[in-house]
Structure formats: C-alpha cells, structure tokens
Amino acid sequence: MAKEPRPIDELTIWDDAKAMIAKARREGVETVYDRLDKQTPHCKFCELGTSCRNCTMGPCRITPKMPRGVCGADADVVVARNFGRFVAGGAAAHSDHGRDLIEVLEAILEGDAEGYRIKDEKKLVRIAGEIGIKTQGRQLRDVAEELLERLFSDFGSRGKEVSFLSRVPEVRKEKWAKLGVTPRGVDHEIVEMMHRTHMGVDNDAPNTMLHAARMALADGWGGSMIGTELSDVIFGTPKPSKSTANLAVIKEDKVNLLVHGHNPVVSEMILAAARDPKLIARAKELGATGINIAGLCCTGNELLMRQGIPMAGNHLMTELAIITGAVEAVVVDYQCIMPSLVQVSSCYHTKFIDTAKKARFTGAIHYDFNPKTAQKQAYEIVSLAVEAFAERDPSRVEIPGQPVSIMSGFSNEAVVEALGGTLTPLVDAIAQGDVRGAVGIVGCNNPKIKHDSLNVGLAKELIKRDILVLVTGCVSSAAGKAGLLVPEAIEMAGPGLKKVCGALGIPPVLHYGSCVDNSRILQLCAALANELHVDISDLPVGASAPEWYSEKAASIGLYAVASGIYTHLGHAPNILGSETVTNLAVSGLEDLVGATFFIESDPIKTADMFDARINAKRQALGLDK
C-alpha cells in the first residue's frame, strides 16, 4: 500500500517552496520528498556505518551476534574505513574544483582561454608572496607561472606541506606535526586513505581517523583554498553588492536560464553570452522582454558574490525552480546536482544542459566545456535557451511570491577594507564584547530535516546573542530569504552586534560565498589568531552544518575541527555503530586538536552550546572578567 505524502507544511518553511510542491503534486511530478518517503525506512546497518562491501568476501554486517566481518574487522575498523572513504569523496570533490581553476589559469597564461583573463592582478601577486614566491621587480606573467607550478605541486606527493599553510599560526602547525597530520598534498592524502581502507591495511580505527583529519586539512588549506583564491584572481575578488533571492527572481516575461553546480568557469561565460545583443534581440523576436540569468546552489553563489546575479534557491529548491514552468534551460557543471532534474525538466519545456566530462547526466544535452572554446559554447547554450522560450506553455507557469532583497560579496578583502584596512577594529569589538564571537553556518539541505528550519533558526538565535554569523553555500540563500542578509536585519540582533554592524552598514549575517569558500573562514580565523598571537582553538568561534548531507560537508566539518574550530552537525554521520569512533569525534579530538564535534537537532540548544563555548574561550583570553 502506497504511503500518504507528508503534509507540505512539514517539509519546508518557505511559501514559495510550498507552492511549488503543491503544483508538483497536482501535475504528477515526482520530487526529492516523494523519493525520500519511498526509500524510508533506511538500512540500519548503513546508518550506523556497520556494513562493509570493500571486498568480495562480503558484503558484511556487524552485529552483536556477528561482531566481526569475514576478514576479522570489527565495528570500529568497519566504521572508520567507511568514514574515511566518505571524507575522501568530499575532499576529492572540493579539491578537484581547485585543480580546475589551476588549469584555467594555465590556459590563460598559454593564450588558450579566449574570454578569460586575470582580473585581480594584485591578489595574484599578494598570494604568491604569501607562499614564498619572489614578486618584487618581476613581471606579472613570471610570478603567475611560478604560482601555477607551486599550486599544481600542492596536489602531488613530494611536498612536505601544502603552500597555504603559510597562513596557519605556528602553534597550530606544531600541533599537526606532533600528531603526524600535516597535510602534504591533496592527491597524496586521498590516495593514501583509499590504500589504508583496503582490506588488510590500516586496522586501527583512531589511526584511520587521524589520517581522515590529515586528508580533510589538505582539502581545506589546499584544494578548497586554491579554488577560492584562483576564482578571485580570474573572476574578481567579491565586494559587497545588492541583489535578490527566492523563486520570484524567475521572470514570466523573460527567457530564464538557471546556472547550477559549483564552478564559475562555466557560469561566468554563460552570463557574458546572455548579454550578447544578438541573443537579446532574438529573445525579443520570440516575445520575451530579455534574458534572465539566475543561480542555484553554489554556482549561483559564485555569480551572486561577483556579479550580483539573483539566487533562485538552494539544494532543495532546484527541482521546484523548474516546476514553475518558466525555466527555459538549466545549465550545470558539477556537484550537488540531483539526477532527477533531467526527469523534472522533461516534464516541461526546459532544456537540461551538462558541461563537464566528469559530470554527465543521462538524457541531458552534452557540451564538453573548456576554456579554449568556452565563448562559442556559451553562445550556443544561451541560444538553445532563447529558442526554448517559444515552447513554453503559459498555462503551466506559476511563479510564487516577490523577490527578497539581499546583500552579498563579503570576501575577507572586503571585510578588511570595511574595517579600514586592518582587523584591529574587529579585534577591539570582540575584546569589548560588542561582538562576543563568530560562527560560520555552512553546508547543505537534507530532506530528512524541515527545509532550512535549522539553518535559519540557528542564525537568528546566534545574532540575538551578539554572535556574528558568516554563511556559505546553501545556507546563504536561506539566510537571504529570511531577511538576514540586509543591514536592516540588525533589528534582530543583540545590542552589541547591532551597534557594530549599524556603524559599518552591514548585516549581522555576512554572505561569505559558495561552500568551497569555507576556506575564507579558515583564513579569517587564522588571521585573527595571528593578530592575537594565539592558536585558532583559543578563539571564541565555531562552525555549524545544520542540514548537511554530502561527503564534502564531512570533509569541511573535519578540517574545521582539525584546525581548532568547535563544530556542530545537525545530525550524526554514519559512525554511531562504533563507540570508539563516535567518542573520538565528540570528545577525544578535543585533547588532540583543541576542538571537537557536537550533534544537536534543536537550534536553541545548539546556540546554547556555542554560547557556552564562546564564554569559555573569552574568559580564557581574559576578555570577560
């Protein structure tokens, strides 16, 4: 007997999402919520992390009656293996994104990337100097070529440490060295994890978990940081700007093209093509008033941060955006793109276009997007979207609500500039207690959790307590829709945070970019620690992924903890089948790296935990006497 669908009010906090879920049900379009209901209940062995299929002697399941697999691995070993491979997937994804940006820089320097250029030359020179490259008296091209080689080497296996460890406080690096977790190279650590988790290699759970930390650090301080910094170099370093968010940014009278994924290499070219006078003229011939580009997930965040392009929504809004019936094309690169979008698009006139060899979607229109031909390909893709406007069925168009104003573009450079060129005013505000601390809320949406309820609930609760919030990834559009990404949101903040943000004309919740840009938060924490001559673990800061789901989020959380940042997860990873691994995650790491995970599904209780931690750190620094 088929299950009754859950009431829509239980699925999401947003009116625009509710309207589109209702429309999907009327039109017989399956969504992520329908598929979750069909997949529930989930396998308990998988949820606990106690199933193993790493070899064909199995698959094995660990239970009290069967405490060891065929090879003899117990629950601790099996859970650690599974978690290690899970984190490896996340570290690989974000770091491979970074590698793609290096390859674009290489194509620019070789003159093989028409339409791309180095937009922030000063930043290129500055980061080269940070990692020890001589810059004074040298041509930009020479500096760029040496930077290129250095960053490529950060993916290899011959280095002693990744380059951006130059930003890390010495006391933190000494701690990593003592534990043997200094990240040497992105690919080195990922390959070693896959080796360690082969049957008969690393069969000591804490040892496997320490290498997981090393691998995550290679992502955070290596691959992800490279991705962020080179995106700024190539496409420009974000500065504060205003835009809008929610499904109402889709326009009934325009050709609507949505960009989705994580890599700005594609979306920047799509945006440029959409501004071509010939394509705009063709759109008008077909009855549209123009071409509208809007973003989904982190590709949307990349364009929002640099170009002010509006955000249609986050992970759980992607299907619903198509269900408006007004989307001519969805153009994707990679990561967090549900395969279902191909099927949902086929229910309407929407063209679904993939652009990466490593991210093919069966049923999509394929383009092998590359820097050499990007301009031509982007023109063809936008042309497909324009022509699709003639196929739209006006009777099926429903765009709910009105756009919400947001402010984005808070790179570290923009924050320092707003503070007058130095972090001293922020340090002073923290010392005086106007800003009691800061928490980065990052990550995803998960249909197991009421959409954006934890993301928004936690952000609101923290700013009430004079705790500055930085948001990235899918949390960003949630905070925007909740009215938290505008200066007027200071009315929801505590008196100290209200005073500081009011004086600067900024929101109490700062949009810090896409999920790869969590590396900006790492860099900011390191800079504050260096300013105060302390370790990152001494700072009154925290991190949270309330509605996470992905392997990338596991890597992010682990590199935050390994860097010394107290980190919250809204639900546990699949490790609860091992007491050893669970205890290490929620308590044992405190003694090793000065931080730990904690698990909590209630936003107020989570804020209480951060409050207590921040109070303790402030007292230890002598700030609250």
Side-chain angles (χ1 to χ4, degrees), residues 131-366:
I131 64 175
I133 294 172
K134 181 184 175 184
T135 60
Q136 193 168 0
R138 300 182 69 191
Q139 294 293 319
L140 177 70
R141 181 181 182 85
D142 294 337
V143 174
E145 287 178 345
E146 188 171 347
L147 176 65
L148 178 75
E149 293 305 316
R150 182 72 66 84
L151 297 182
F152 263 134
S153 72
D154 281 343
F155 283 82
S157 58
R158 298 188 66 181
K160 293 182 179 179
E161 61 182 49
V162 294
S163 298
F164 282 122
L165 261 59
S166 60
R167 295 172 166 175
V168 178
E170 286 301 320
V171 63
R172 173 62 33 181
K173 289 201 285 187
E174 290 169 7
K175 193 165 288 184
W176 289 342
K178 190 177 295 185
L179 288 170
V181 298
T182 302
R184 300 159 294 184
V186 174
D187 295 347
H188 187 164
E189 309 306 357
I190 294 169
V191 168
E192 184 169 317
M193 176 55 79
M194 299 308 290
H195 179 195
R196 283 172 178 254
T197 53
H198 188 283
M199 199 291 288
V201 186
D202 194 354
N203 292 290
D204 180 77
N207 199 45
T208 303
M209 293 294 285
L210 279 177
H211 186 72
R214 186 177 212 171
M215 180 175 57
L217 289 170
D219 172 16
W221 294 96
S224 285
M225 198 165 283
I226 289 168
T228 290
E229 299 295 67
L230 289 190
S231 290
D232 288 355
V233 166
I234 296 167
F235 302 114
T237 302
K239 294 182 178 180
S241 62
K242 294 181 179 179
S243 189
T244 52
N246 74 17
L247 290 182
V249 305
I250 297 169
K251 301 301 180 185
E252 187 170 359
D253 61 341
K254 293 188 176 182
V255 172
N256 292 294
L257 191 155
L258 304 183
V259 290
H260 178 19
H262 284 75
N263 190 344
V265 171
V266 175
S267 54
E268 287 275 352
M269 281 296 157
I270 296 295
L271 177 61
R275 292 168 173 169
D276 187 285
K278 291 180 181 178
L279 289 175
I280 294 172
R282 177 57 179 159
K284 290 180 177 179
E285 285 178 13
L286 293 172
T289 61
I291 302 172
N292 180 45
I293 304 294
L296 294 167
C297 291
C298 282
T299 287
N301 279 310
E302 297 276 5
L303 281 188
L304 171 64
M305 287 279 279
R306 296 186 178 89
Q307 304 280 4
I309 294 302
M311 280 291 291
N314 54 17
H315 180 56
L316 289 184
M317 298 298 295
T318 55
E319 293 173 320
L320 306 183
I322 299 169
I323 290 166
T324 62
V327 175
E328 275 60 59
V330 179
V331 181
V332 304
D333 45 80
Y334 48 58
Q335 296 175 20
C336 299
I337 303 155
M338 289 190 277
S340 66
L341 296 185
V342 178
Q343 285 75 52
V344 176
S345 294
S346 71
C347 296
Y348 301 90
H349 69 297
T350 306
K351 308 298 182 188
F352 187 89
I353 302 162
D354 67 32
T355 59
K357 287 183 178 180
K358 67 186 78 173
R360 290 296 203 200
F361 291 77
T362 302
I365 299 169
H366 301 305

Side-chain angles (χ1 to χ4, degrees), residues 104-118:
V104 173
L105 178 60
E106 181 178 43
I108 292 170
L109 294 175
E110 292 175 349
D112 212 16
E114 187 178 356
Y116 298 97
R117 64 185 178 87
I118 296 171

Side-chain angles (χ1 to χ4, degrees), residues 606-624:
T606 301
D608 288 342
M609 297 284 282
F610 278 126
D611 214 346
R613 180 78 171 196
I614 285 169
N615 281 340
K617 294 299 179 183
R618 290 182 62 83
Q619 289 174 8
L621 290 169
L623 301 179
D624 293 334

Side-chain angles (χ1 to χ4, degrees), residues 3 173 383 396 411 443 455 467 489-490 494 524 546 596 614 621:
K3 290 183 180 179
K173 289 201 285 187
S383 182
R396 298 187 70 194
S411 59
N455 290 333
I467 298 170
I490 60 173
L524 179 61
T596 189
I614 285 169
L621 290 169

Side-chain angles (χ1 to χ4, degrees), residues 359-422:
R360 290 296 203 200
F361 291 77
T362 302
I365 299 169
H366 301 305
Y367 277 84
D368 290 332
F369 213 84
N370 65 81
K372 185 174 182 178
T373 57
Q375 279 190 320
K376 178 177 180 291
Q377 291 173 314
Y379 187 95
E380 291 177 6
I381 289 169
V382 177
S383 182
L384 281 175
V386 169
E387 296 302 322
F389 183 80
E391 302 171 27
R392 184 194 290 183
D393 181 351
S395 70
R396 298 187 70 194
V397 172
E398 181 182 334
I399 303 172
Q402 295 296 320
V404 175
S405 295
I406 61 175
M407 185 182 229
S408 72
F410 290 96
S411 59
N412 286 324
E413 290 84 350
V415 169
V416 170
E417 183 179 339
L419 293 171
T422 173

